Amino acid sequence: MSENVVHLHKPTDPPDLDTAPTVLTVVPDPVPAAPVPLWVRSGRVVKTVATHETTRATVRAAARHSLYTLNGGRIVARRTWDGRTGARYERMIRAAEAAGNLEAAEEWEERLQRFRAARHHRRMDLLHSPVEAARGVAVGAGMSVGVLVALGVALAVNTGRVGDVITPLMATIDFIALLIRIVHIVWGPALTIGPFLALLALWSVGRKQQAAPTWALPANARSSEGEPITPSIVVKALRDLGVPALRNAIKEMGDAGASMLGPITLAGCGVEVDVTLPSGVSTVEVQQRRRKLAENLARHEHEVFITIPQAARTVRLWIADSGALDEPIGPSPLVTDETMTADYTKGKAPWGQDLRGDAAALSLYQRHLLITGLSNQGKTAALRALALWLALDRSVQFWVGDLKGVGDWAMFDGVATRLIQGPTDDHVIQVTEMVEDAVEEMNRRIQAPAGTVFPALIVVVDEAQVAFMCPAKDEDKRPYGGSRSNSRYFMAARKIHNQGRAVNVLLWQGTQDPTDQNLPKLVREGAHTRASLALGTESQARMALGDKAVDGGAAPNLLRPGLDQGTLVVASDGIEIPKGQSSITVRTHYISTDDAKQIAARARALRDGVTTLHTIERGEQRDPLADIATVIGDATRVRTKDVLARLATTNADAYGGWSFIDLKRVLDDAGAEPYKSDGVMVVSRDRVARALAGRDTNGSASTD
C-alpha cells in the first residue's frame, strides 16, 4: 500500500503569515486504474488485424483466385456440354420463340436436326471402329516388318554379313524400348504435376472471363466506368432496367438475351447497337428510363442517346466513350479554310459534327429556320455560323434584326443591307417594319413573270421572343407583339412562312426559353429546319422540335445547360439523318467574334460596296424615276450597275437596298426599259426623259 503524503502549509486568511499557526493536511495517493482484461486487448488486436487493408486485400485475392478456378471449371464444363450436345441450338430456339421470330426458330430447329443426324452417324461408325482399327494395325505392322526385313536384306547384301538382315528390325525394337523407358520415367511426375496444370488452365479461363464477384476483383477491375461496351453488358443493363416484362423475357431466352442485339458497331466517339425488344415491351418504357440505362452501362446520362429506328419494336442505342462528349470538336472549316465559298442553291453549311464524328452539313436552300434554347447556350453563335457561311455567296442578301443589341451581329455591317441592333420597343418597331418590307418584296416577286429567278433574301431576327412580347402599338392600335390576327410581327412572319420559300424570301429566327406566348405555335411550325439547344422541360422540347421528333427520341431537355453549349438537336430534311430517325444531334463548331469578323471581311470583299442601313426612315416621299434621271445626268446611257451605285450615294436610306430587279421594275412601269449595249445592261437618258415628260403631262407622279 502507498503511504499518505503530509503537507505543511500556513493558512492564508490571517494578515500576518509569520505568526499564523502551521496546519497539517493529509492527502491520500490516487487509486491506480484497474488493468484491462486480456480478452479485451486480444479482441482489439483481432479487430485491427481483421479490418486492416492488407488483410482485406489478402482475403479478396484468396477468394478471387479460388473462384477463378471454380468458375473456370464451370465455364469449361458448359463449353464441353454445348459442344457435345444440342444445348446451344435449343437455347437459340427458345430465344427466337421468346422474341416472336418464328422464322429464326425454324432455322435453328433445322440446324439442330442436322447436328443430331451427324452425331448419330459418328456413333454408328464407332461400333465398327475397333475391328477396323485392329485390321489396320495388323496390316500396318505386317507392312512395317516387311519393309524392315527388306531393308535388312539390302544391308546384308551390301556388307556381306548375314546377321545384318535383322539389324533394322532390332534398331526399331530398341527405339520402342527407349520410348517405353522414357514414358516410365515421366509417367510418375506427370501424374503428380498433371492435376496442377489442369487447375492452372481452369484458373486461366476464369481469370480471362473475370469469373468472380465484384467485391473480390482488383480495384481497377471493379471500376466499370469507361469499360468497352459488350453484348453481355448491354443485355445486363436492359435486364436491370426495371421493366418486368423485359426482365422475364431475357430470363426465358436460352441465349440470355443475346438474340435481341444487332451488331455493335463503332460510331464516332462511341458505339451503336439496335435492340429488338421482346413482345410486350414498349419502346417508350426504355426511352423513359434513359438515366437508369446509362448508369447500368457505367455512363452518364448525357452519354447515352435512345432513338427509334424504322424497324418495329426496336430502339437504337448510341453509347459514347466515357468522357468523349466533353472534348472539343475543333475549329470550323470557315476559320481554317480562307478560300471557302458558299453556294445557296447546291451547297451545305459546315455546321459541326454528329455523334458519330462525321461532318454535319446543313442545306439552307428555300428553308425557313428556327433555333431555340435556354439563355447562354450558344444560340446566336449557331445561327450566326450559318449566316457567315451563306454570306460567302455574293448573290445572297441579308436583312438582320438583332434584338439583343450587344454587337453579336455587328460584323454584318457592310454585308447586310439592313442591320438593326437594340432591345428597345423602338428597335422592335423597326424590325417589325423590316419584316413587313420583306413581305412586300415577297409579294412583288410573286407577281413577277413565271420563271423569274430571284436572289435569296435572308431575313434574320435574333432574340425574336422580344418582338413577340413587345407591348407597343401603332397609331391604329395594332400591337407589334402578340400572336393575334392583328399582331404585326406575328402576321408578317406567318405570311413569309406561307409563301416566301417559293421566291427565296426566307425568315431565320433565334429565340430563347420557348413558351406559347413568346413563340406562337403557328410560327414555330412554319420553320422547315428546327433546332434546339438545351431546354428545361419536355414540353419545351415539343415546342422547339415538334411532337414527331420528340416521340422519335429527340430530347434537348436532357442536354446539360452550361456543359453542352453549342450542342443542337436538329429536325430538318436539309441535313443527313440516319434512316428511320426523325432528328440528329449536332455538336456545332464555335466561331468566336474575332473569327466572325474575319469571315465577314472576306464576305465584304466578294461584294461591291454594300451600304448598310441601320434605321428605317418612314414618311419620306421619293420619286425614283426623277432620281434616276438626276443620276444619269448628261450621259447618253449609263450602265445599270452604275445607276444603282449613284442612287445609293444620293439617298442610301431609300436606295441602299435596291437590286437590279428594283431598278428594272421602276423603269418597266415607266416605259423606259433598260437594254443591252455592248453586252451590258444600260439605262437610256432619252427613254427616261420621255417617260418623265409623258408622266408629267398626265399628272401621275409616282412615289415610293
Side-chain angles (χ1 to χ4, degrees), residues 440-480:
E440 294 180 6
E441 172 65 14
M442 175 191 72
N443 292 332
R444 184 188 66 78
R445 293 183 178 191
I446 291 174
Q447 296 170 5
T452 305
V453 179
F454 300 97
L457 171 60
I458 309 299
V459 182
V460 180
V461 180
D462 196 9
E463 306 296 342
Q465 77 279 356
V466 178
F468 285 113
M469 300 301 291
C470 179
K473 295 182 180 180
D474 61 14
E475 60 275 7
D476 296 326
K477 303 300 182 182
R478 294 176 57 202
Y480 287 93

Side-chain angles (χ1 to χ4, degrees), residues 559-643:
L559 294 174
R560 301 167 298 168
L563 297 177
D564 290 326
Q565 287 183 331
T567 299
L568 287 161
V569 181
V570 184
S572 171
D573 61 350
I575 193 170
E576 186 176 352
I577 298 177
K579 187 177 181 181
Q581 295 182 201
S582 56
S583 65
I584 187 172
T585 301
V586 177
R587 304 172 67 197
T588 59
H589 296 293
Y590 174 68
I591 301 177
S592 67
T593 302
D594 292 338
D595 291 334
K597 291 178 180 178
Q598 296 179 9
I599 299 170
R602 284 156 40 197
R604 280 192 293 272
L606 296 175
R607 300 164 186 264
D608 296 327
V610 173
T611 301
T612 299
L613 302 180
H614 295 279
T615 59
I616 302 175
E617 297 294 340
R618 297 296 177 187
E620 182 181 0
Q621 300 295 322
R622 303 294 306 178
D623 186 347
L625 190 61
D627 289 341
I628 292 172
T630 300
V631 299
I632 290 176
D634 296 333
T636 303
R637 57 182 178 271
V638 179
R639 292 191 303 173
T640 54
K641 179 180 178 181
D642 295 336
V643 171

Side-chain angles (χ1 to χ4, degrees), residues 176-193:
I176 294 174
L178 177 62
L179 292 179
I180 293 173
R181 286 195 296 271
I182 292 174
V183 171
H184 181 71
I185 294 171
V186 173
W187 185 253
L191 289 178
T192 304
I193 300 174

Side-chain angles (χ1 to χ4, degrees), residues 36 124 130 221 354 482 542 613 616:
V36 179
M124 294 302 295
D354 61 16
R542 293 184 180 276
L613 302 180
I616 302 175

Side-chain angles (χ1 to χ4, degrees), residues 102-434:
L102 298 182
E103 294 182 0
E106 293 176 358
E107 181 180 353
W108 283 109
E109 179 68 26
E110 293 177 1
R111 293 185 182 183
L112 177 59
Q113 295 299 331
R114 291 196 297 267
F115 170 80
R116 287 174 174 170
R119 184 179 60 183
H120 175 72
H121 287 303
R122 289 195 302 271
R123 289 176 177 175
M124 294 302 295
D125 292 339
L126 288 176
L127 297 176
H128 305 285
S129 59
V131 177
E132 298 295 335
R135 184 180 302 165
V137 170
V139 173
M143 293 180 63
S144 300
V145 171
V147 171
L148 292 174
V149 171
L151 183 60
V153 171
L155 182 62
V157 172
N158 185 49
T159 60
R161 295 192 295 269
V162 178
D164 288 342
V165 173
I166 61 172
T167 297
L169 186 59
M170 295 304 296
T172 303
I173 294 173
D174 291 340
F175 178 71
I176 294 174
L178 177 62
L179 292 179
I180 293 173
R181 286 195 296 271
I182 292 174
V183 171
H184 181 71
I185 294 171
V186 173
W187 185 253
L191 289 178
T192 304
I193 300 174
F196 292 100
L197 295 177
L199 291 175
L200 180 62
L202 297 178
W203 173 87
S204 178
V205 173
R207 179 178 178 274
K208 185 176 181 180
Q209 297 294 327
Q210 295 287 307
T214 304
W215 62 266
L217 295 176
N220 56 351
R222 290 197 302 270
S223 176
S224 59
E225 183 174 356
E227 67 178 335
I229 298 299
T230 61
S232 60
I233 290 176
V234 176
V235 172
K236 187 175 183 298
L238 293 170
R239 185 194 67 193
D240 299 337
L241 201 55
V243 181
L246 180 58
R247 181 178 63 252
N248 296 333
I250 292 175
K251 288 182 179 180
E252 293 174 0
M253 293 181 184
D255 61 349
S259 61
M260 296 193 308
L261 306 184
I264 297 179
T265 58
L266 293 176
C269 57
V271 296
E272 190 174 73
V273 59
D274 284 355
V275 180
T276 302
L277 301 175
S279 178
V281 181
S282 169
T283 56
V284 177
E285 293 180 281
V286 177
Q287 282 184 300
Q288 292 176 344
R289 292 168 172 82
R290 177 185 175 189
R291 173 175 294 181
K292 189 170 185 178
L293 178 62
E295 293 172 349
N296 291 347
L297 292 168
R299 295 294 190 272
H300 296 290
E301 184 178 10
H302 71 277
E303 294 175 330
V304 174
F305 288 82
I306 305 172
T307 54
I308 309 300
Q310 193 170 8
R313 213 171 66 238
T314 302
V315 293
R316 178 168 295 161
L317 306 181
W318 185 87
I319 307 161
D321 297 336
S322 185
L325 294 184
D326 296 327
E327 299 293 331
I329 65 171
S332 169
L334 289 172
V335 177
T336 57
D337 185 2
E338 296 184 357
T339 63
M340 176 176 285
T341 57
D343 186 343
Y344 165 70
T345 58
K346 299 179 181 179
K348 290 187 175 183
W351 211 7
Q353 293 180 0
D354 61 16
L355 296 179
R356 293 172 171 267
D358 299 330
L362 179 67
S363 173
L364 303 173
Y365 178 65
Q366 292 188 343
R367 289 178 175 88
H368 301 299
L369 177 66
L370 172 64
I371 299 180
T372 186
L374 297 178
S375 177
N376 196 33
Q377 298 304 308
K379 167 181 54 63
T380 297
L383 181 61
R384 189 177 64 186
L386 298 176
L388 286 171
W389 175 80
L390 194 55
L392 297 177
D393 183 341
R394 60 181 301 173
S395 67
V396 179
Q397 302 176 27
F398 286 93
W399 294 359
V400 179
D402 175 15
L403 293 177
K404 184 188 297 182
V406 295
D408 289 337
W409 295 84
M411 69 287 301
F412 274 76
D413 193 351
V415 176
T417 51
R418 298 187 183 186
L419 177 59
I420 300 169
Q421 303 177 88
T424 66
D425 289 350
D426 289 339
H427 293 101
V428 171
I429 293 172
Q430 293 188 38
V431 168
T432 301
E433 292 174 345
M434 179 185 75

